[in-house]
Amino acid sequence: MENEPNLQERRKAYWRANLRILAILMSIWFVVSFGCGILFVEPLNQIKLGGFKFGFWMAQQGSIYVFVALIFVYVRLMNRLDREFNFEDYE
Amino acid sequence: MDVKTWTYIVVGLSFALYIGIAIWSRATSTKEFYVAGGNVSPISNGMATAADWMSAASFISMAGMIAFAGYGGSVFLMGWTGGYVLLALMLAPYMRKYGKFTVPEFIGERFYSKTARVVAVICLIIVSITYVIGQMKGVGVAFSRFLETDYNTGLYVGMGIVFFYAVLGGMKGITYTQIAQYVVLIFAYTVPAVFISLKLTGNPIPQLGLGGSTADGTPLLQKLDQVIQDLGFNEYTTSKDGSTLNMFVYTLTLMIGTAGLPHVIIRFFTVPKVSDARLSAGWALIFIAILYTTAPAVAAMARLNLTETVQTGPVGQAASNLEYDKRPEWFKNWEKTGLLKFEDKNGDGRIQYYNDAGESFKQQGWNGNELVTVDKDIIVLANPEIANLPGWVIALVVAGGLAAALSTAAGLLLAISSAISHDLLKGIMRPDISEKQELTASRFAMVCAIAVAGYFGLNPPDFAAGTVAIAFGLAASSIFPVLMMGIFSKKMNRQGAVAGMVAGMSVTLLYVFQHKGILFIPGTSFLGSMDANWFLGITPNAFGAVGALVNFAVAFAVSKTADEAPQGVQDLVESIRIPSKD
């Protein structure tokens, strides 16, 4: 494996795919916290979610739930990517 | 049984449990001492990380800060959880693949420089020591208030417990104790919250209760907004913490500071595989989110309870204000501690708690806010008493607060001792020592770290409150950027990394010191801590993100003046980017 000619290529492609996943997930991370929770909190507060103003809810509850979901989506996507590129980590 | 007896029983049992775990999990090798042998399961590590991360500040202070800041308190909620996304996606898997013992070790090898390693050790020690002082203080306070011992005795007992399991078991002992501590602290936090939510809104889940309705049908938050606005305070759900820019930068600082805290990062060295490191960060955030989504509910409900206890009816009618002689039992208990203080300014024997910045309450015979002290820390600690919960729940909260403080202290002490024994001693001063000698040295370093933390706990420096700014500011401005560049920029060289760390750290320290005093000595703050002098209105606590920006900019500029990282180092970076061995 060490001398596989296209190992370099495989590593590069894997890293590019990884960066793409990061870019997408980090954009969501930014939008739910800094976007919904801070920058656009006032317009979003016009929307009601049960007894909550939506912007307030995003800042104190919603963003945290999305953070948890983001990490688990990341875990799934990366495990799939590892398999696809045959870079799985055996103990 | 009275509360004190309950407290002795519950705290005693929890301590017996921690000691039992310590004896069962003795470390016999440096690998066990530094990274618990590297075979902790992702869920266990997630739980230990949660306990490690959630300190006395999260457990005791955070809900109180949110209760009085309202929407502005969101910076802590988003900042201290959003950092885990950064950690999971951008640091944890790569640090695990690197697979050694400490953060400075990675920085030293990645930037092929002992200077970088030493600078990293210095940052790590400043960050961890400032952080640990607060924990020791929390332990002393919890003991002295609830077990009616004096502060020093409480501190000695706390130090003794940490000494026992951290010195004996190292990371292995700490990990398994932290799991037990997580269970204690989360139970202690959620039980009173469930009772209170049930009582106020009829919904047992506090996260839903926060959006629920009170007995008269008005939504809880709407009622809270109304009640406190009538008393001249800002609306709860919209009141900001400084400008929007300040909230933005503050949140960012807390996020990247969280991701850059060495005692949190080293927890990800303890799992067997790269994929476990990713998963483990997810579990850690779940366990943290249970507390962090409960906290805003506790905050809003406590603020409403407190306000309505004092202001029992519409503002303006004399009979609506609680008579001081009829104040409830918990009120009296907390007055004894000095954390709650009443002054009858208008001499009517009733309590007026309101925002006296405006003049508008003058005509109804109010002569200034009479609850002159309402310490934020009483919100969580007094919660069970305010809600009239049984004695064992109050005892549980004490054990929970102690668990939160002890688990974080132990994690920090391990980060400090491993930086000294592994990075300074083995890595730089005496590379030839045997593993057995290193293990002894690491235990000795742990003892010294406990002694230093204890000393600061006994003689708390005046600057305790300001140190959080330093800890997060430095982690954000020095450690986080250098790790990011180490992983994501293959060519970043040692000149850039060292210059970046030094620049980021200096800018942040300078900003904090010029507004809060040099080394927090009063009177030396040559710019004064006032809005007008703040750079773009950014508070010193929030400045770490700006420091991080300076770090990145300086690092890239300086790195262009020298050769790029050597091939061997670039190969190292390539190998940590993929999970498998080849």
Side-chain angles (χ1 to χ4, degrees):
Chain A
M1 278 281 250
E2 204 58 57
N3 297 319
E4 177 194 328
N6 58 0
L7 176 64
Q8 276 304 324
E9 283 311 305
R10 197 152 58 94
R11 280 183 167 180
K12 268 200 188 123
Y14 173 85
W15 185 245
R16 268 200 307 273
N18 177 15
L19 290 181
R20 199 172 57 237
I21 291 172
L22 288 190
I24 295 167
L25 296 180
M26 292 315 290
S27 314
I28 300 173
W29 167 84
F30 183 86
V31 168
V32 295
S33 51
F34 295 98
C36 300
I38 297 174
L39 298 175
F40 301 109
V41 70
E42 276 151 32
L44 289 177
N45 273 342
Q46 305 308 313
I47 305 167
K48 291 283 177 305
L49 184 82
F52 289 106
K53 292 171 179 168
F54 185 63
F56 177 83
W57 183 80
M58 279 308 288
Q60 299 213 335
Q61 297 274 310
S63 56
I64 301 175
Y65 300 132
V66 177
F67 293 154
V68 172
L70 280 176
I71 298 184
F72 281 92
V73 169
Y74 170 73
V75 169
R76 281 195 75 126
L77 291 177
M78 289 308 286
N79 286 346
R80 205 166 67 189
L81 196 68
D82 293 351
R83 269 198 306 278
E84 217 172 279
F85 282 84
N86 202 13
F87 279 141
E88 283 162 290
D89 51 342
Y90 302 104
E91 269 174 82
Chain B
M1 256 191 289
D2 66 343
V3 173
K4 203 176 149 191
T5 318
W6 271 117
T7 311
Y8 270 105
I9 294 173
V10 175
V11 171
L13 280 177
S14 69
F15 280 13
L17 177 66
Y18 307 153
I19 291 175
I21 292 171
I23 293 168
W24 166 71
S25 61
R26 284 196 57 169
T28 51
S29 67
T30 48
K31 193 170 186 197
E32 284 189 345
F33 193 90
Y34 293 134
V35 296
N39 56 9
V40 181
S41 85
I43 298 184
S44 304
N45 186 54
M47 213 176 255
T49 308
D52 197 335
W53 164 241
M54 291 192 288
S55 58
S58 291
F59 189 91
I60 297 171
S61 310
M62 189 176 66
M65 292 193 286
I66 300 167
F68 294 101
Y71 161 71
S74 312
V75 294
F76 304 109
L77 294 164
M78 289 187 285
W80 285 338
T81 53
Y84 274 83
V85 180
L86 289 170
L87 200 56
L89 274 60
M90 297 168 135
L91 292 179
Y94 312 109
M95 298 302 286
R96 176 62 196 87
K97 177 63 198 300
Y98 172 68
K100 301 242 174 96
F101 295 159
T102 70
V103 172
E105 189 177 15
F106 171 75
I107 293 173
E109 191 171 340
R110 164 62 185 84
F111 295 106
Y112 48 100
S113 154
K114 284 189 177 169
T115 314
R117 193 166 178 177
V118 173
V119 173
V121 169
I122 294 169
C123 294
L124 183 152
I125 289 178
I126 298 177
V127 169
S128 303
I129 290 272
T130 52
Y131 212 105
V132 88
I133 296 170
Q135 307 307 317
M136 295 319 257
K137 215 179 146 223
V139 172
V141 169
F143 264 103
S144 58
R145 203 172 304 155
F146 291 96
L147 300 177
E148 292 166 33
T149 59
D150 66 317
Y151 174 87
N152 292 6
T153 314
L155 196 66
Y156 288 131
V157 175
M159 277 165 69
I161 298 286
V162 174
F163 176 85
F164 202 76
Y165 67 76
V167 174
L168 214 60
M171 186 58 124
K172 197 175 162 199
I174 288 172
T175 303
Y176 293 108
T177 332
Q178 280 172 337
I179 294 170
Q181 284 161 334
Y182 175 78
V183 175
V184 172
L185 82 86
I186 202 66
F187 196 59
Y189 202 84
T190 46
V191 166
V194 166
F195 276 116
I196 291 164
S197 174
L198 202 56
K199 213 167 175 175
L200 265 179
T201 67
N203 195 323
I205 301 166
Q207 288 83 343
L208 299 177
L210 180 61
S213 299
T214 51
D216 61 9
T218 346
L220 178 93
L221 285 168
Q222 192 184 322
K223 187 166 177 182
L224 178 58
D225 278 343
Q226 190 60 50
V227 168
I228 65 173
Q229 274 184 301
D230 287 347
L231 292 165
F233 296 106
N234 289 329
E235 190 178 52
Y236 187 83
T237 52
T238 55
S239 60
K240 273 190 205 157
D241 179 18
S243 64
T244 297
L245 176 71
N246 184 57
M247 277 189 73
F248 188 97
V249 180
Y250 201 173
T251 306
L252 189 61
T253 298
L254 295 178
M255 283 181 179
I256 62 182
T258 302
L261 285 175
H263 72 284
V264 176
I265 298 173
I266 54 173
R267 286 238 50 102
F268 294 94
F269 291 125
T270 66
V271 294
K273 295 186 291 174
V274 172
S275 53
D276 292 336
R278 298 176 191 137
L279 188 59
S280 188
W283 281 110
L285 189 55
I286 287 193
F287 293 128
I288 291 166
I290 296 174
L291 191 145
Y292 273 60
T293 53
T294 307
V298 170
M301 289 171 193
R303 179 84 184 267
L304 186 63
N305 267 338
L306 177 72
T307 311
E308 290 197 321
T309 301
V310 177
Q311 185 76 41
T312 56
V315 175
Q317 298 170 9
S320 306
N321 288 91
L322 181 73
E323 279 179 62
Y324 183 64
D325 293 337
K326 289 188 181 158
R327 69 198 187 282
E329 201 55 38
W330 62 264
F331 199 110
K332 293 176 193 161
N333 289 341
W334 286 95
E335 276 182 307
K336 281 185 221 150
T337 64
L339 297 177
L340 187 64
K341 212 180 276 168
F342 168 75
E343 256 173 46
D344 197 0
K345 289 182 180 164
N346 61 354
D348 66 349
R350 291 173 182 275
I351 306 169
Q352 282 99 36
Y353 172 48
Y354 68 109
N355 180 6
D356 54 11
E359 292 288 302
S360 54
F361 295 94
K362 275 260 155 56
Q363 67 254 26
Q364 55 202 43
W366 292 10
N367 196 18
N369 174 31
E370 298 183 343
L371 282 189
V372 286
T373 307
V374 188
D375 193 281
K376 295 178 172 96
D377 288 354
I378 72 173
I379 290 293
V380 166
L381 295 174
N383 228 351
E385 297 171 85
I386 298 176
N388 269 325
L389 300 181
W392 63 268
V393 179
I394 300 171
L396 196 59
V397 172
V398 181
L402 285 169
L406 291 176
S407 58
T408 306
L412 289 160
L413 291 167
L414 184 90
I416 297 169
S417 71
S418 61
I420 293 171
S421 62
H422 190 66
D423 291 306
L424 288 186
L425 189 70
K426 170 87 177 170
I428 290 166
M429 280 146 56
R430 298 272 306 279
D432 53 330
I433 55 170
S434 70
E435 185 181 323
K436 216 172 156 208
Q437 285 171 310
E438 192 189 342
L439 187 61
T440 311
S442 56
R443 291 207 158 103
F444 182 70
M446 178 73 87
V447 173
C448 295
I450 293 175
V452 171
Y455 172 80
F456 281 121
L458 289 173
N459 309 289
D462 297 332
F463 56 83
T467 53
V468 179
I470 292 284
F472 275 89
L474 284 186
S477 64
S478 61
I479 299 168
F480 178 78
V482 79
L483 292 178
M484 284 288 289
M485 290 183 293
I487 296 161
F488 288 87
S489 164
K490 223 163 53 179
K491 292 179 177 158
M492 178 53 69
N493 50 28
R494 63 168 173 228
Q495 292 86 350
V498 173
M501 271 197 285
V502 172
M505 198 163 96
S506 312
V507 165
T508 308
L509 277 181
L510 207 69
Y511 192 77
V512 175
F513 285 165
Q514 74 188 14
H515 292 293
K516 293 194 162 188
I518 295 162
L519 293 172
F520 303 101
I521 299 160
T524 56
S525 60
F526 45 92
L527 280 184
S529 190
M530 51 180 98
D531 308 28
N533 290 340
W534 286 338
F535 175 70
L536 298 175
I538 298 169
T539 57
N541 287 11
F543 202 72
V546 181
L549 211 64
V550 171
N551 184 333
F552 281 120
V554 168
F556 276 103
V558 171
S559 71
K560 297 289 175 231
T561 65
D563 293 337
E564 56 188 40
Q567 195 53 44
V569 168
Q570 297 200 24
D571 291 345
L572 170 76
V573 177
E574 284 207 347
S575 84
I576 62 167
R577 286 176 175 184
I578 55 160
S580 66
K581 291 219 163 56
D582 53 287

